[in-house]
Amino acid sequence: VQLVESGGGLVQPGGSLTLSCAASGIIFRIYGMAWYRQAPGKQRELVARITSGSLTNYADSVTGRFTISRDNAKNTVYLQMNSLKSEDTAVYYCNAQRVDTRPYWGQGTQVTVSS
């Protein structure tokens, strides 16, 4: 199983980025997918989740600014991030999970919001 994130980088406050996570080795369409993040010195936290049926939920801190989506034909999950703030700076991790299997994680992609 591989989850490969891309799209991170340096962006100014108020800017936008779109993260992508390409999955292989799993039947993507039956997995719930999620984005987590971990800032220096802090615990990893859930940012957004999308079920196999495309139901979504978000952390309060990103609601209205971030959008998670999936393309089952491309085995890819996305995180559109708008109105970025300095506190969004973190390593962002892709996660794939089902209730009957272990979770899978990507290697992470750095997002830095700074002027």
Side-chain angles (χ1 to χ4, degrees), residues 22-37:
S24 60
I26 59 173
I27 304 173
F28 180 78
R29 60 181 172 78
I30 67 173
Y31 273 77
M33 301 298 296
W35 288 96
Y36 286 73
R37 68 186 180 188

Side-chain angles (χ1 to χ4, degrees), residues 32-36 46 48-50 68 77 93-97 105:
M33 301 298 296
W35 288 96
Y36 286 73
L46 176 67
R49 179 187 288 122
I50 185 165
I68 189 171
V77 62
Y93 296 91
C94 179
N95 166 275
Q97 189 160 13
W105 293 93

Side-chain angles (χ1 to χ4, degrees), residues 1-8 19-24 26 28 33 35 74-78 92-96 104-109:
V1 176
Q2 276 196 313
L3 301 176
V4 180
E5 301 101 333
S6 61
L19 305 183
S20 300
C21 171
S24 60
I26 59 173
F28 180 78
M33 301 298 296
W35 288 96
K74 296 182 178 180
N75 288 359
T76 300
V77 62
Y78 305 96
Y92 284 71
Y93 296 91
C94 179
N95 166 275
Y104 298 104
W105 293 93
Q107 81 287 351
T109 185

Side-chain angles (χ1 to χ4, degrees), residues 57-74:
N57 67 284
Y58 299 89
D60 289 344
S61 59
V62 307
T63 297
R65 300 189 298 123
F66 290 12
T67 302
I68 189 171
S69 61
R70 64 189 299 157
D71 185 337
N72 289 342
K74 296 182 178 180

